[in-house]
Amino acid sequence: MNHRVTVGLLAIVGSCPLALAQHTIESKDSLQEVVVTGTGTQHLLKDAPVQTEVISRQALRNFAGRSIEDILSQLSSSFDFEQGDMGSQMQMNGLGNSYILIMVDGKRLHGDVGGQNDLGLIDPNNIERIEIVKGASSALYGSDAIAGVINIITRKHDEGIMLEDKTRYGAYNDVRQHNGVALRWGKISSYTNFQLQHNDGWQNTATEYTQSSATPVTDSKSKTVNEFTNWQIAERLAWNPMKDMELYAEGSWYQKGIYRESGKYPKYDVYNYDLKYKNASAEAGMKWTTSRGDVITADVSWNKHAYYHAFTTTTLAEGFDEKGNFVLDYPYFAGQKLLMSNQERTMLNLKAVFALSSANKLSAGLEARYDYLKAPASIKGQTASDNTEALYMQDELQLLGLLHITAGLRLNRNENFGWRLTPKLAAMLKAGDWRLRASWSQGFKTPTLKELNYQYARDMNGMILFLGNPDLKPQTSNYWSLNAEYTIGRLNLSATVYYNKVGDMIALVTVPNSEAPDAYREQYGEMLSKVRRYHNMENAKTYGVDFTLRYTTDNLSFGGGYSYLDTDANVYDTTHDKLVNVTIDGMAHHKGNVFATWNHQFSPSYKLGIGIYGKLSTKRYYQLNGDGKGYQTWRLTTTHDLGHSRTMAYRIEAGIDNIFNYVDRTPHGLHLGTTTSGTTLFASLSVRFTKGKKIKISNKYNLKQNNNEED
């Protein structure tokens, strides 16, 4: 659809915002759901003192998404994605990956700290719900939480035996496989999870811009999305020596391969290597709930994210030797691999939540983190490391059951950047059917090891050199938000105004080619089209408004959301010796999502669900290589629950993605609004076997007492 139609539809959504965003859908009791992310303690959703957006288990089942990118982009208006070989470039309310903390069950997801996340590490079939908290949450979660926090809550399996299998198939040989095995022997439980994802990739256009051609070529072999295969196996063992204590150990192994099509033009679309990823994790910890309701948790974890070039032909590569000398034209042969980066992280966490009274809770904790990066081809000296420690404290106080105040402090110490104190203050006022929330928080983020040290050349419409900067300063932020929420019967409305000011924001900036190291200029000569270096911007800010509305009955739910965003940043132009005002890459002024779902139990052995979903966005702005077009995509999903048995459950999901066949045919090398391939079909079959009653895990945390509300 054209731009005017897109803006018109967004205006309609904005004037009558219908949203999933602020709360869960598909249940008349959704506001009774318990959330934990905003304060690190449990609260009923409707009384969460920090505004929390929830995508519920029922919403996930109705949507039947194939990936986390699909789920977040279509079920919330705040997100944008630009998927590439290196991972998903995500943006939430104007800020990108490196400012968004992604957690799984409250633990940090480990991936590329260079700013892209491989969300394939998360199995969408093992999610109970997703909690989203926008704005700086650094008092609790530290670095990487300046834009907000996404907490993936996984399903808990307490049956005696549970076996499940789900196979999903779609266009372009899109295969998504999930298997789970849960066992319980008395006080010991085990859950094994396996997932596999594959897609042959697709090409939306054969047109490609090149540095060496005055006009674009029209028979490129480059794909819009390359073929990939990834798989993961994970295991969790737990022991409950007493009903209020759990000891656990867990680990995972993940591999991914990206296979790139070789074309006939050797200067720009013949790839001489594929991409390989290997991730591993291990963790052990405990959780103990005391007789008075205090909760103590402790864990230690190790994570690894390694990325390789897997050569398909004889290739002359470049990099640093062990003495720090830059080596050119080092030969690699087909079948050999070159380690591009190995990022390892070790963390220690200790946290306690003390129930001082029915109206007062105190949280305190400490963290220690060690980061290690090995990159023989991209770091002088080949390795770099960093360590950070932190202490934090948060107090939650209720006054007369009407006013809830949350105040927190976090003290960080980084070996390279010293000490920093970040505060947080939030308040919620209950007034009948109204909830009024206000928050202010500061964030603090040190430069990553890649931003400080990494350097590499990449062929992107000509050779572009990316350089780290050892002189970077830490980033800070001040975040303010105001929220008003009104609930009457089955109708819920919410509006939020926010402002996030980021000081010394780190971004890639184009600098004169003379700043390139001599070795690179000698190697590439005139082929070196641009040099981009990480720099601190003078200042940057994002601000906007989010509207949401939803209406839910026992069988019918409909809603949607509208998000207005603007950004502003000043960066120093070294070429002209002046400040230049720029927008933050990836920003779109208007975004929206709409949905409607209907479920009906026709008989004890058959339940039908139908859902329609829409995602809308106006133009996305970039400093280089053009802007991304505005777009609309629509999706139809049907679900069919079959059979009636205590032990067996069967489910079929089928639907149509991109109903109106929208395809962005922007030439390769320029930014896309969306990478969708056009209208596609998908279907899945799930089989689940359970035997044995679920074990009820005691929870001494009394929501009725602490929230002055009935359960």
Side-chain angles (χ1 to χ4, degrees):
M1 296 184 182
N2 63 37
H3 179 74
R4 286 185 294 178
V5 174
T6 301
V7 174
L9 285 173
L10 284 171
I12 294 172
V13 176
S15 63
C16 182
L18 311 171
L20 168 71
Q22 169 66 16
H23 296 297
T24 59
I25 66 169
E26 312 300 345
S27 170
K28 62 182 179 181
D29 298 320
S30 63
L31 298 186
Q32 299 297 320
E33 183 156 6
V34 176
V35 296
V36 298
T37 307
T39 61
T41 55
Q42 298 183 23
H43 292 276
L44 296 176
L45 177 58
K46 67 176 181 179
D47 293 326
V50 176
Q51 184 186 3
T52 304
E53 175 180 345
V54 175
I55 301 175
S56 71
R57 174 66 180 163
Q58 187 60 47
L60 293 169
R61 283 172 59 84
N62 285 343
F63 182 68
R66 66 174 182 172
S67 66
I68 299 299
E69 290 93 337
D70 280 356
I71 291 167
L72 291 176
S73 64
Q74 295 217 26
L75 297 185
S76 175
S77 62
S78 300
F79 291 94
D80 277 311
F81 288 89
E82 185 175 347
Q83 192 168 354
D85 288 342
M86 300 293 292
S88 296
Q89 297 182 22
M90 175 172 52
Q91 192 180 85
M92 180 170 71
N93 284 358
L95 294 176
N97 294 52
S98 60
Y99 301 96
I100 304 168
L101 175 60
I102 302 174
M103 302 192 300
V104 178
D105 292 326
K107 311 296 173 56
R108 291 167 175 263
L109 181 72
H110 181 64
D112 183 2
V113 296
Q116 295 180 340
N117 297 302
D118 186 354
L119 298 182
L121 288 162
I122 303 171
D123 185 351
N125 298 290
N126 194 39
I127 300 176
E128 180 65 28
R129 68 182 186 275
I130 301 174
E131 298 182 7
I132 303 164
V133 175
K134 300 171 186 176
S137 299
S138 294
L140 276 180
Y141 300 115
S143 183
D144 306 331
I146 284 179
V149 177
I150 302 170
N151 193 8
I152 310 292
I153 311 297
T154 61
R155 295 160 57 197
K156 302 302 180 283
H157 304 280
D158 297 315
E159 304 90 347
I161 301 175
M162 189 280 295
L163 306 172
E164 62 183 356
D165 174 277
K166 180 176 181 179
T167 303
R168 185 186 194 275
Y169 184 80
Y172 303 100
N173 280 327
D174 187 81
V175 178
R176 310 287 163 140
Q177 178 66 37
H178 162 80
N179 295 94
V181 178
L183 303 170
R184 175 173 284 276
W185 308 273
K187 296 180 179 180
I188 298 175
S189 62
S190 165
Y191 179 64
T192 307
N193 186 87
F194 172 81
Q195 65 155 330
L196 179 143
Q197 303 176 357
H198 172 83
N199 192 290
D200 285 349
W202 60 85
Q203 184 188 57
N204 288 342
T205 179
T207 303
E208 181 163 353
Y209 280 98
T210 72
Q211 184 69 19
S212 58
S213 176
T215 59
V217 298
T218 57
D219 55 352
S220 168
K221 298 296 183 182
S222 296
K223 288 186 175 182
T224 304
V225 172
N226 285 313
E227 178 184 355
F228 68 87
T229 301
N230 60 270
W231 62 270
Q232 179 187 52
I233 188 166
E235 171 66 26
R236 188 181 196 274
L237 288 170
W239 175 44
N240 299 102
M242 61 182 85
K243 68 177 183 179
D244 298 323
M245 177 180 286
E246 180 185 66
L247 306 177
Y248 67 88
E250 58 189 31
S252 68
W253 179 259
Y254 172 90
Q255 287 193 188
K256 182 174 184 177
I258 298 175
Y259 310 99
R260 307 194 295 177
E261 189 80 18
S262 290
K264 61 182 181 180
Y265 297 100
K267 288 189 176 181
Y268 65 93
D269 74 346
V270 172
Y271 296 109
N272 49 26
Y273 59 86
D274 294 327
L275 307 177
K276 300 288 185 182
Y277 298 85
K278 293 183 179 180
N279 282 60
S281 70
E283 180 177 338
M286 59 83 68
K287 180 179 180 180
W288 177 39
T289 304
T290 69
S291 58
R292 55 166 281 169
D294 302 332
V295 181
I296 299 172
T297 59
D299 61 77
V300 59
S301 63
W302 170 83
N303 293 268
K304 171 184 176 179
H305 173 82
Y307 153 54
Y308 301 84
H309 285 177
F311 294 99
T312 54
T313 62
T314 301
T315 303
L316 298 177
E318 60 192 33
F320 293 92
D321 63 20
E322 294 181 356
K323 297 181 180 180
N325 299 314
F326 190 76
V327 180
L328 298 173
D329 299 337
Y330 188 86
Y332 284 85
F333 302 98
Q336 290 186 308
K337 292 189 298 184
L338 170 62
L339 175 66
M340 299 305 296
S341 70
N342 176 33
Q343 302 169 73
E344 297 185 19
R345 184 195 68 198
T346 304
M347 289 194 70
L348 172 67
N349 294 279
L350 177 63
K351 179 183 177 181
V353 179
F354 302 102
L356 302 181
S357 71
S358 61
N360 191 203
K361 297 188 295 293
L362 179 67
S363 302
L366 63 87
E367 295 178 1
R369 171 174 173 169
Y370 173 74
D371 286 287
Y372 169 82
L373 171 63
K374 182 178 182 179
S378 304
I379 291 182
K380 189 174 183 178
Q382 299 194 0
T383 64
S385 63
D386 187 25
N387 64 73
T388 302
E389 299 81 36
L391 295 170
Y392 62 89
M393 184 174 294
Q394 176 182 269
D395 188 56
E396 299 179 59
L397 179 64
Q398 290 191 69
L399 301 175
L400 303 176
L402 300 176
L403 180 63
H404 193 128
I405 298 175
T406 303
L409 284 173
R410 183 184 185 91
L411 180 63
N412 280 327
R413 190 207 73 88
N414 180 271
E415 67 169 314
N416 296 311
F417 298 99
W419 298 83
R420 180 74 182 199
L421 188 68
T422 55
K424 167 188 174 180
L425 182 63
M428 181 189 69
L429 177 65
K430 299 181 184 179
D433 295 324
W434 286 88
R435 299 291 185 269
L436 304 176
R437 298 179 177 91
S439 68
W440 166 73
S441 54
Q442 288 188 341
F444 176 70
K445 178 174 171 55
T446 58
T448 67
L449 291 175
K450 281 194 171 183
E451 290 169 341
L452 291 167
N453 302 285
Y454 218 59
Q455 59 186 56
Y456 66 98
R458 186 177 177 187
D459 193 353
M460 303 170 62
N461 296 332
M463 197 60 64
I464 299 180
L465 177 63
F466 297 89
L467 297 175
N469 185 349
D471 297 324
L472 291 173
K473 296 181 289 185
Q475 303 162 94
T476 61
S477 72
N478 275 279
Y479 177 83
W480 293 267
S481 71
L482 293 172
N483 167 255
E485 179 187 347
Y486 180 68
T487 303
I488 179 170
R490 300 176 184 270
L491 178 67
N492 177 266
L493 303 96
S494 177
T496 304
V497 179
Y498 64 89
Y499 179 88
N500 201 352
K501 185 175 181 180
V502 183
D504 294 316
M505 183 178 182
I506 295 174
L508 282 168
V509 176
T510 301
V511 297
N513 285 15
S514 58
E515 293 195 22
D518 292 340
Y520 283 98
R521 286 191 279 118
E522 292 172 1
Q523 169 74 355
Y524 296 112
E526 294 182 357
M527 291 178 60
L528 187 61
S529 59
K530 291 185 181 70
V531 178
R532 306 204 78 196
R533 184 190 292 274
Y534 285 106
H535 274 277
N536 291 105
M537 292 187 175
E538 296 299 314
N539 57 68
K541 57 187 177 183
T542 69
Y543 50 94
V545 182
D546 292 336
F547 293 102
T548 69
L549 179 151
R550 68 178 180 87
Y551 183 81
T552 304
T553 68
D554 291 337
N555 296 317
L556 176 67
S557 294
F558 60 87
Y562 167 74
S563 177
Y564 171 78
L565 168 69
D566 207 349
T567 68
D568 188 19
N570 289 316
V571 63
Y572 187 73
D573 183 347
T574 57
T575 303
H576 301 94
D577 193 29
K578 65 177 182 179
L579 288 176
V580 178
N581 185 262
V582 297
T583 59
I584 296 176
D585 278 352
M587 184 272 293
H589 284 303
H590 307 280
K591 297 187 295 292
N593 72 297
V594 293
F595 76 92
T597 63
W598 177 76
N599 293 274
H600 184 71
Q601 188 82 44
F602 284 93
S603 70
S605 59
Y606 180 63
K607 181 179 180 180
L608 171 66
I610 301 175
I612 184 77
Y613 303 86
K615 173 69 175 181
L616 310 93
S617 175
T618 55
K619 179 169 63 175
R620 299 181 69 187
Y621 295 89
Y622 293 90
Q623 297 177 43
L624 295 176
N625 297 326
D627 297 327
K629 295 179 181 178
Y631 66 92
Q632 296 182 43
T633 58
W634 295 84
R635 170 193 178 100
L636 174 67
T637 300
T638 67
T639 60
H640 312 263
D641 292 289
L642 309 171
H644 181 63
S645 168
R646 286 187 174 184
T647 59
M648 296 297 298
Y650 306 91
R651 181 180 175 90
I652 295 174
E653 300 170 349
I656 306 172
D657 271 322
N658 197 0
I659 298 171
F660 300 111
N661 197 34
Y662 175 80
V663 179
D664 188 343
R665 302 195 186 279
T666 299
H668 297 293
L670 304 179
H671 289 291
L672 302 174
T674 174
T675 59
T676 182
S677 61
T679 301
T680 57
L681 305 177
F682 69 89
S684 70
L685 172 64
S686 303
V687 180
R688 193 169 192 264
F689 169 81
T690 57
K691 185 176 182 180
K693 294 182 179 179
K694 284 195 173 186
I695 306 299
K696 185 175 182 180
I697 305 298
S698 174
N699 185 352
K700 296 290 186 180
Y701 191 96
N702 191 322
L703 284 175
K704 181 188 295 183
Q705 184 182 36
N706 283 277
N707 288 284
N708 295 323
E709 295 283 348
E710 294 184 358
D711 289 337

